């Protein structure tokens, strides 16, 4: 999208008359109507205001980019407007806005507004462009500034792409060492890309050529080719979920948690350069020999296997949980439990919930013993949710059945690990079978023996044991007094801030999610979800508050990250605080833990429940005590932010 085609001279406003945010929007929308860009002033304005309600389009640095795409827009356009005196536009940095770019895109307009936003953002990142626009006093000058800036940016992008291609070619003949890496985390939101960035920076510092494949929320990016892997000196795996490993057979390889690449990427690269790791040898299940430092031994291996299951389970938890919660709102306010909307939403949510535990178990097993373990793990997880134990009762396979003695979430965890390690043993046991019957392993032996053994174990051992444990846990939660509720919620919320996406954080979330999965209609389970939600929202909010109130104690880069953390905190993305915690763990982590614990205590004291497993403030309307929910996050964030701001040392020459 060439922004120059949309930025038309005849629709610019060189000196806005309005002196308020509402006035600016009214003036610019009316100008669009007068110029024939839109044919329904009220409809377009309504969508502009709806976008502003989500969060202000005042981007900071004196710039605001209000935008909407709807049926009122006759042709795409970007209106430039300037206010010499400045307008309070609720900008993210709290400063007046002087430059306004209102984007109008027709409904179904091929994401014109998003493309225009991206193009504008690239150009407006240059302070020289912003300064020139503030000084421009005619539409011709504005167009000339943008024409030059866009042309320059396009040339830079082309040069960068060319340089990257040349770098890939030069790496073959270069004297510099060349390594490849893979980064991945369960959610694929922040850790994946922070690890990628830190590995690249460390490689540049060490004089190493590197290519990093990311397994993030957008899928696999920068996928490593066979040729790249072949010529690499070694492989760095920084992942908390399973990645494809068979392609690295015969390469020096180190495999650690994704946080290792964030905290100390140089150590990972040096371990390859200094021959401190062993050679990876793939087997039928893509496992490695004992001499390789894969990070899969002991608790680190169990954690990674668990996270592989959790990462695949989360979409079922989030999608199913939120649809079920919305169905309850429909039930209360739009027709009761007989309405078509309630029945449809509730059934859709329940169906997703029915697959959560089987998927969890399947991918725990698959992370241990690869594809042969997937089916036994899934079947074991399914039995944990719908089957009774060995003694008494009928055994049905209906996903809507309320099984009286199922193993539940904990039983599903057990099913995943049991199926995985049993199948790993079975694969080793079958390794010496004659070649003439080797083809029978995957088609007959693995599925039949695997299913039979896991079914027997679930039927006679796991379900009877874990059904009893589930009953005890349910009774414990249902009979919690206010004092005990406060303590439990305080602990869970505090754990969310200890490592911000690491083992403590995931343990707290899995505990709450497990209670929620076992009984989605329980207010106690919803209260635990609220506790982990507020606990995860406090750290990014706290860093945003601290960077705003104590600017002299943070670098310019940290202050910019602090602005972003308002949005990340709003959305329950704790990882936004990780760069701060990495740079100054002694101050950031204790402050965040204290604030999160305070927020969790408020949740327990006010009996706040959120019957949705993710979403942050986006799912606030579902909370049983919405004002208590807001209060918990606000108070906890202020406590953590103030402690951090007062405690942290001043940064010398912070600019």
């Amino acid at each position: 999208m060439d922004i120059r085609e949309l930025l038309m001279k005849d629709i610019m406003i060189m000196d806005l008359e309005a002196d308020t945010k509402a006035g600016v929007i009214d003036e610019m929308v009316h100008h669009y109507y007068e110029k024939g860009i839109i044919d329904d002033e009220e409809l377009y304005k309504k969508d502009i205001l709806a976008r502003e309600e989500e969060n202000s389009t005042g981007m900071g640095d004196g710039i605001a980019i209000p935008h909407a795409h709807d049926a009122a827009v006759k042709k795409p356009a970007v209106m430039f407007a300037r206010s010499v005196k400045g307008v309070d536009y609720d900008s993210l940095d709290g400063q007046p806005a002087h430059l306004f770019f209102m984007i109008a895109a027709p409904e179904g307009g091929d994401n014109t507004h998003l493309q225009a936003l991206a193009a504008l953002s690239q150009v407006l990142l240059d302070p020289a462009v912003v300064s020139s626009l503030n000084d421009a006093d005619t539409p011709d000058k504005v167009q000339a500034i943008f024409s030059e800036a866009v042309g320059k940016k396009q040339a830079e992008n082309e040069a960068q792409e060319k340089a990257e291609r040349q770098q890939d070619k030069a790496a073959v003949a270069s004297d510099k060492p060349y390594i490849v890496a893979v980064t991945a985390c369960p959610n694929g939101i922040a850790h994946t890309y922070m690890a990628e960035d830190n590995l690249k920076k460390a490689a540049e510092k060490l004089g190493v050529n590197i290519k990093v494949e990311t397994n993030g929320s957008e899928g696999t990016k920068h996928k490593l080719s066979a040729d790249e892997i072949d010529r690499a000196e070694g492989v760095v795996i920084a992942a908390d979920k399973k990645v494809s490993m068979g392609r690295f057979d015969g390469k020096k390889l180190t495999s650690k948690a994704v946080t290792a690449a964030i905290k100390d990427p140089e150590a990972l690269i040096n371990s390859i350069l200094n021959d401190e790791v062993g050679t990876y040898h793939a087997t039928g299940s893509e496992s490695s020999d004992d001499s390789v430092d894969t990070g899969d031994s002991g608790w680190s291996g169990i954690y990674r296997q668990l996270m592989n299951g959790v990462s695949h389970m989360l979409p079922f938890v989030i999608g199913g949980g939120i649809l079920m919660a919305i169905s309850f709102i429909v039930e209360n306010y739009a027709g009761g439990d007989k309405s078509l909307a309630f029945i449809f939403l509730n059934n859709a949510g329940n169906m997703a919930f029915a697959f959560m535990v089987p998927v969890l178990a399947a991918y725990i097993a698959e992370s241990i013993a690869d594809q042969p373990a997937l089916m036994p793990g899934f079947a074991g997880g399914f039995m944990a949710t719908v089957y009774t134990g060995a003694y008494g009762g009928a055994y049905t396979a209906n996903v809507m059945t309320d099984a009286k003695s199922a193993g539940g979430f904990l039983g599903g965890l057990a099913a995943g690990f049991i199926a995985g390690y049993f199948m790993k043993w079975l694969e080793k046991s079958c390794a010496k079978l004659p070649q003439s019957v080797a083809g029978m392993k995957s088609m007959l032996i693995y599925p039949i023996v695997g299913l039979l053994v896991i079914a027997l174990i679930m039927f006679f051992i796991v379900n009877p044991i874990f059904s009893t444990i589930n009953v005890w846990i349910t009774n414990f939660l249902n009979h919690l007094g206010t004092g005990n509720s406060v303590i439990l919620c305080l602990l869970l919320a505090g754990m969310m801030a200890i490592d911000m996406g690491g083992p403590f954080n995931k343990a707290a979330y899995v505990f709450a999610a497990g209670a929620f999965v076992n009984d989605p209609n329980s207010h106690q389970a919803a209260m635990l979800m609220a506790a982990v939600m507020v606990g995860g929202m406090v750290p990014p909010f706290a860093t945003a508050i601290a960077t705003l109130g104590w600017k002299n104690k943070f670098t310019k880069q940290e202050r910019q990250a602090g602005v972003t953390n308002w949005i990340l905190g709003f959305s329950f993305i704790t990882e936004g605080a990780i760069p701060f915690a990495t740079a100054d763990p002694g101050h950031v982590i204790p402050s965040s833990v204290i604030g999160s614990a305070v927020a969790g205590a408020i949740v327990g004291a006010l009996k706040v429940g959120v019957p949705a497993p993710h979403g942050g403030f986006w799912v606030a309307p579902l909370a049983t005590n919405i004002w208590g929910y807001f209060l918990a996050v606000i108070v906890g964030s202020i406590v953590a932010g103030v402690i951090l701001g007062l405690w942290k040392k001043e940064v010398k020459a912070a600019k």
Side-chain angles (χ1 to χ4, degrees), residues 331-343:
E331 180 184 16
N332 291 333
Y333 301 106
D337 61 2
K338 302 298 182 183
S339 69
L340 179 61
F342 167 78
I343 294 172

Side-chain angles (χ1 to χ4, degrees), residues 188-460:
I189 297 173
H191 284 73
T192 301
Y193 306 108
M194 291 168 62
E196 174 197 22
D197 188 52
N198 284 8
L199 282 169
K200 287 181 176 179
K201 290 178 180 177
E204 183 178 0
K205 180 180 178 181
L206 296 172
V208 174
N209 287 323
I210 189 170
K211 180 173 180 180
V212 184
E213 174 184 300
T214 57
N215 286 217
S217 56
E218 298 179 337
T220 300
K221 301 292 183 182
H222 317 301
K223 189 173 181 63
L224 299 173
S225 68
D227 178 63
E228 288 165 339
I229 295 171
D230 183 59
R231 59 187 169 86
E233 291 193 20
V235 183
V236 172
I237 305 293
D240 286 340
K241 68 176 185 179
K242 186 175 180 182
V243 298
S244 176
M245 294 293 291
R247 52 191 168 151
F248 302 127
D249 184 48
K251 305 298 296 186
K252 289 188 294 185
L253 184 144
T254 181
S255 179
K256 299 291 183 182
V258 70
T259 52
I262 296 172
K263 295 177 179 178
D264 196 359
E266 291 185 28
L268 296 181
I269 295 173
N270 280 326
S271 68
I272 298 291
L273 301 179
N274 299 331
D275 291 324
E276 296 171 356
V277 298
T279 300
Y280 178 84
H281 295 294
T283 65
S285 60
E286 295 192 348
S287 61
S288 62
D289 63 13
D290 296 335
S291 65
V292 178
D293 175 19
T294 64
D296 281 338
S297 59
W299 288 110
S300 63
I302 292 174
Y303 171 72
R304 185 173 305 197
Q305 293 149 10
L306 173 63
M307 287 303 102
N308 191 61
V310 170
S311 68
H312 286 87
M313 179 193 76
L314 277 177
F316 294 85
V317 176
I318 296 169
I322 291 179
L323 282 189
M324 288 175 64
I326 293 173
S327 76
F328 299 143
I329 294 178
V330 172
E331 180 184 16
N332 291 333
Y333 301 106
D337 61 2
K338 302 298 182 183
S339 69
L340 179 61
F342 167 78
I343 294 172
F344 171 78
L345 291 169
N346 193 261
N347 282 347
N350 269 294
M351 282 294 142
F353 255 57
F355 289 105
M356 286 188 305
V357 174
V359 167
L360 171 73
Y363 282 97
I364 289 175
E366 190 258 359
S367 70
I368 298 169
D370 205 59
Q371 192 71 20
L374 188 68
M375 184 276 288
F378 193 95
F382 187 68
M383 292 183 70
T385 59
V386 299
Y387 273 75
T388 61
Y391 307 103
Y395 311 116
T396 60
N398 184 337
V399 294
M400 302 304 293
T401 297
D402 182 15
K404 296 180 180 179
S405 58
F409 186 81
L410 295 177
L413 287 175
F417 284 106
I418 293 170
Y421 284 109
F422 172 75
M423 293 305 296
K424 193 171 186 178
W425 172 84
L426 185 61
E427 285 180 329
K428 290 182 177 180
S429 300
C430 294
K432 296 182 180 180
L433 286 176
Q435 189 64 31
S436 58
V437 297
M440 297 174 54
K441 291 189 291 185
S442 60
M443 297 302 296
L444 290 174
I445 298 176
Y446 293 160
I448 295 175
V449 176
L451 177 60
L452 176 61
V453 171
I454 193 65
L456 288 170
I457 293 173
M458 293 299 298
F459 190 76
F460 288 103

